[in-house]
Amino acid sequence: MKQFSMTKAIIQFILFLFTLAVLIPLLNILALSLSEPSRVDELSGLGVIPKGFSLINFEIIMSNPFIVRSIVNSVFITIVGTCLNLFLTAITAYVLARTEFVGKRLVLVVLIAVMVFEPSMITEYLLMKDLHLLNSYAAVILYKAINVYYLFILMRFFQEVPNSILEAAKIDGAGHFRIFTTIVLPLSKPALATLALFYGVYHWNEYFRATIYLTDPNKWPFQVVLRQFVVTQDNTTLLKGVEGMTPELLASLDFGSLQSATIVVAVIPMLLLYPLILKYFTKGTMDGGVKE
Amino acid sequence: MKKVNRIKRIRKDWLLYVMLLPGMLYFAIFHIVPIINMKLAFQDYRIIGENVWVGWKHFEQLFSSPAFKDVLMNTVIISSMKIIFIFPIPILFSLLVNELRFGPFRKYVQSVSYLPHFLSWVVIAGIWITLLDPVDGGANVIRNFFQLPSLDYMTSKEHIRWVLVYSEMWRSAGWDSILYLAAILKISPSLYEAARIDGASTLHQMRYITLPSLMSTVVTLFILNLGFFMSAGFDQVFNLMNDSVLSVIDILDTYVYRIGILNGQYSYATAASLFKGAIGLILILGTHFLSKRLTGKGVW
């Protein structure tokens, strides 16, 4: 029996080490962003406790109109995009999951084809150009208006709505649209919440299409701006336009800490939603994921 | 007779088609049209007027270009490394998590390990660039602790591919284990009880009950992964790339982006995309039918 518990202890230890490997880099970024700029050099690369405490990095970021605008843009894209996603995915999923009609097989074949073959980013880009959608949010929002995987997940949920309820409604004379809006949708609230989170995360994290479709930097979402600071290491935009920026203040700042603070701002919405995500996502993926 | 019946049904179900219309319009305009437009690979792009058909010209140019060969090699190498070193990790992870009793520690392990999946590659790149900083990054703190000299991982041609492997592992090891964990939960507990009565150890139970029960999930996910083989993780490479290591991690998609979107060689870039898509399709259909023949199970 002793051998037995030993194995368990080793397993727990390995998993604990793994969580540290995930957490320490994240907490280190947080510690960097909250440290006093003058003491940030004392912070070790594995340190998770800020050296001193200062919100100066966040104040600088939040007083940059360019960054604030990009955050507003991101929120706008995320909210409008997610609403459109939900509407289109739900109505399509209902028809495909709960009804029989001529041509259904063809539609399903097309959906599978869409899953295994992606269009080229070049022809997608040229399409947006032909439709005159370049430099408009419509391009960023529309190009992924329905995610086929999520569509299939929602279809599974809709199929679980008990048939007897739908039959009863039909006998009462309710048409498909009534059944969809007054019965299927309210019964699928948890599933819709799951999808809203799926799609919301997707929109908040999107940067690539925005980079190539949105030519006006004032329209950029936050992730594109973050990429400029953190990946391209372009610090002029970061400090440009910050009110009350003096040479002394500039000299007292630490660029690495500013970058970290920007990363933290990008992660905060995710952390706020994370408990919900854990509650819904894991269930959603488990129930509707890949067929076995 | 049958035809009339059909038309009648279509008429009766008009509302369904109306409800289906917005979704179908979306797929037609934003998926099917750009796929059909990939015929551009066989044409020369014209800003004004019709494109001109040129046959295999762009493909010939592509296959005779040394740059394309490098890019193809990089894609194959990086994808192979990821399949070999990353694919087994979530399986292992789910086996380990499965041994934890339901309780706070298990919840902690799961919550923490799923988190990176929800961060964008821009954020992860930022975190990893900080972690691998040549002066005071965490990785070098550990190296120095073991008396090893500091390394600049991000600009080292030798190490950057491993950075791709490890950062991908960091991001997805936990999350990708979910499907395996779900499959494990479906295994009948009586199997384990019987094994325990027969004196099987934890490791034996893993080896002879859990792992075999996971095989069909493993096969399915492996096939799906192969479908992405030629992608090799565009968002990751795009954000972890810099000029010093471009030559070893430039993959098909980053190449398409550079020659197509940045340089405007639309036809040539589309040819590269089409090649990538065709190989991906062959891989996924090939493994699907192979697996159907061997195990009776495919992806769909």
Side-chain angles (χ1 to χ4, degrees):
Chain A
M1 265 351 240
K2 205 167 186 193
Q3 171 83 32
F4 190 70
S5 59
M6 189 63 192
T7 323
K8 297 253 169 186
I10 292 171
I11 287 172
Q12 288 185 357
F13 182 68
I14 294 173
L15 287 173
F16 182 66
L17 277 188
F18 181 81
T19 59
L20 284 190
V22 170
L23 277 180
I24 288 176
L26 289 169
L27 292 175
N28 178 247
I29 294 284
L30 185 64
L32 270 170
S33 70
L34 291 172
S35 292
E36 268 168 42
S38 56
R39 291 186 57 196
V40 77
D41 288 339
E42 299 167 31
L43 186 72
S44 142
L46 296 174
V48 295
I49 297 159
K51 296 288 172 191
F53 181 81
S54 153
L55 288 173
I56 181 74
N57 297 310
F58 293 95
E59 281 165 22
I60 298 274
I61 290 170
M62 286 310 175
S63 58
N64 181 334
F66 182 62
I67 295 186
V68 173
R69 194 180 307 127
S70 74
I71 294 175
V72 174
N73 294 342
S74 275
V75 171
F76 174 79
I77 292 173
T78 304
I79 291 175
V80 176
T82 306
C83 291
L84 184 78
N85 290 144
L86 280 184
F87 169 72
L88 285 177
T89 313
I91 199 163
T92 312
Y94 170 76
V95 177
L96 292 176
R98 301 296 330 202
T99 68
E100 290 302 327
F101 59 92
V102 178
K104 182 171 167 179
R105 266 192 76 83
L106 177 75
V107 172
L108 289 175
V109 167
V110 169
L111 289 184
I112 293 200
V114 163
M115 259 166 102
V116 291
F117 198 89
E118 276 197 351
S120 162
M121 70 169 93
I122 305 296
T123 47
E124 245 177 44
Y125 172 79
L126 292 174
L127 176 75
M128 295 301 176
K129 204 169 159 184
D130 290 343
L131 295 173
H132 301 286
L133 290 180
L134 283 191
N135 208 21
S136 92
Y137 288 131
V140 182
I141 289 169
L142 279 177
Y143 103 96
K144 201 112 218 198
I146 301 177
N147 180 313
V148 194
Y149 292 91
Y150 300 173
L151 177 66
F152 281 134
I153 290 175
L154 196 60
M155 280 166 65
R156 291 253 175 128
F157 273 103
F158 284 178
Q159 275 157 357
E160 277 163 28
V161 175
N163 230 340
S164 52
I165 305 182
L166 299 194
E167 288 304 323
K170 264 182 209 157
I171 291 167
D172 287 348
H176 280 302
F177 197 73
R178 278 266 318 269
I179 294 179
F180 171 62
T181 49
T182 60
I183 298 173
V184 177
L185 279 189
L187 280 178
S188 313
K189 265 186 204 148
L192 292 171
T194 312
L195 276 214
L197 290 167
F198 269 92
Y199 279 125
V201 169
Y202 170 78
H203 284 294
W204 180 261
N205 283 342
E206 210 291 318
Y207 71 95
F208 181 66
R209 309 289 154 168
T211 310
I212 58 179
Y213 295 156
L214 302 176
T215 39
D216 176 5
N218 285 326
K219 289 191 175 170
W220 282 351
F222 187 55
Q223 295 281 338
V224 178
V225 178
L226 176 71
R227 199 184 121 73
Q228 283 241 313
F229 302 155
V230 176
V231 177
T232 327
Q233 308 261 338
D234 166 11
N235 44 3
T236 49
T237 353
L238 179 55
L239 301 171
K240 195 173 61 186
V242 174
E243 249 173 81
M245 179 61 81
T246 58
E248 293 78 36
L249 178 57
L250 188 60
S252 74
L253 292 173
D254 178 83
F255 187 53
S257 307
L258 273 170
Q259 284 182 326
S260 303
T262 331
I263 294 175
V264 171
V265 173
V267 176
I268 284 174
M270 205 64 61
L271 286 182
L272 293 178
L273 288 179
Y274 195 54
L276 280 180
I277 290 176
L278 280 179
K279 196 170 145 204
Y280 290 122
F281 260 31
T282 35
K283 190 177 176 336
T285 331
M286 276 167 142
D287 293 347
V290 184
K291 128 192 154 187
E292 284 130 293
Chain B
M1 176 68 189
K2 216 180 159 196
K3 213 168 193 183
V4 175
N5 213 340
R6 256 192 184 191
I7 294 173
K8 240 187 203 164
R9 277 184 61 195
I10 295 180
R11 271 224 190 116
K12 188 182 79 82
D13 288 338
W14 66 273
L15 182 64
L16 289 183
Y17 294 100
V18 173
M19 287 169 80
L20 203 56
L21 188 68
M24 291 307 112
L25 269 181
Y26 160 71
F27 282 116
I29 297 175
F30 293 98
H31 274 269
I32 312 293
V33 167
I35 287 177
I36 294 172
N37 282 346
M38 284 172 81
K39 65 180 192 290
L40 181 61
F42 300 99
Q43 298 173 324
D44 269 341
Y45 179 77
R46 293 285 152 87
I47 297 171
I48 303 162
E50 287 280 293
N51 296 341
V52 189
W53 290 92
V54 293
W56 295 92
K57 182 178 117 180
H58 297 294
F59 289 94
E60 280 161 18
Q61 201 184 332
L62 205 60
F63 295 127
S64 59
S65 140
F68 180 70
K69 251 171 231 150
D70 289 346
V71 165
L72 195 59
M73 273 311 283
N74 287 340
T75 310
V76 171
I77 292 172
I78 290 169
S79 266
S80 305
M81 283 170 79
K82 282 186 178 173
I83 287 208
I84 294 168
F85 297 105
I86 300 180
F87 186 76
I89 302 292
I91 305 174
L92 201 68
F93 192 80
S94 70
L95 290 178
L96 295 184
V97 170
N98 183 49
E99 294 304 323
L100 298 178
R101 230 173 297 117
F102 286 90
F105 183 67
R106 183 176 166 128
K107 218 169 200 171
Y108 158 80
V109 169
Q110 289 184 296
S111 313
V112 169
S113 59
Y114 300 161
L115 180 62
H117 174 84
F118 299 102
L119 307 176
S120 71
W121 270 111
V122 178
V123 165
I124 298 177
I127 293 169
W128 275 69
I129 290 168
T130 312
L131 179 70
L132 299 178
D133 189 277
V135 183
D136 47 18
N140 280 319
V141 171
I142 295 175
R143 277 184 71 87
N144 296 342
F145 178 79
F146 289 108
Q147 311 286 321
L148 293 163
S150 294
L151 265 175
D152 190 355
Y153 292 94
M154 290 303 296
T155 58
S156 154
K157 284 186 186 169
E158 250 176 89
H159 296 95
I160 191 70
R161 284 173 180 158
W162 290 105
V163 172
L164 297 182
V165 169
Y166 284 117
S167 57
E168 178 68 56
M169 219 184 260
W170 185 82
R171 185 179 112 106
S172 57
W175 181 253
D176 288 353
S177 71
I178 286 186
L179 288 173
Y180 295 115
L181 266 178
I184 291 176
L185 288 178
K186 284 187 194 139
I187 302 172
S188 159
S190 58
L191 280 177
Y192 292 105
E193 272 160 39
R196 237 171 276 144
I197 291 168
D198 288 347
S201 70
T202 310
L203 286 176
H204 273 99
Q205 292 175 35
M206 269 189 200
R207 168 74 187 77
Y208 294 105
I209 301 176
T210 320
L211 205 54
S213 314
L214 282 181
M215 275 331 278
S216 73
T217 313
V218 171
V219 170
T220 310
L221 289 182
F222 188 78
I223 296 174
L224 285 176
N225 263 308
L226 269 190
F228 298 113
F229 189 81
M230 298 299 278
S231 294
F234 171 76
D235 288 304
Q236 180 194 30
V237 174
F238 190 62
N239 285 303
L240 288 171
M241 196 145 90
N242 55 66
D243 288 340
S244 351
V245 292
L246 181 70
S247 64
V248 289
I249 61 169
D250 196 16
I251 54 173
L252 275 168
D253 278 334
T254 48
Y255 182 67
V256 167
Y257 168 73
R258 229 179 22 258
I259 57 171
I261 306 283
L262 293 186
N263 296 351
Q265 302 182 52
Y266 297 134
S267 302
Y268 186 64
T270 306
S273 279
L274 188 58
F275 172 75
K276 181 201 142 192
I279 301 284
L281 200 61
I282 291 170
L283 281 175
I284 199 164
L285 292 181
T287 42
H288 167 69
F289 288 117
L290 189 71
S291 134
K292 245 193 172 158
R293 171 165 293 183
L294 293 179
T295 66
K297 273 185 181 160
V299 188
W300 56 83

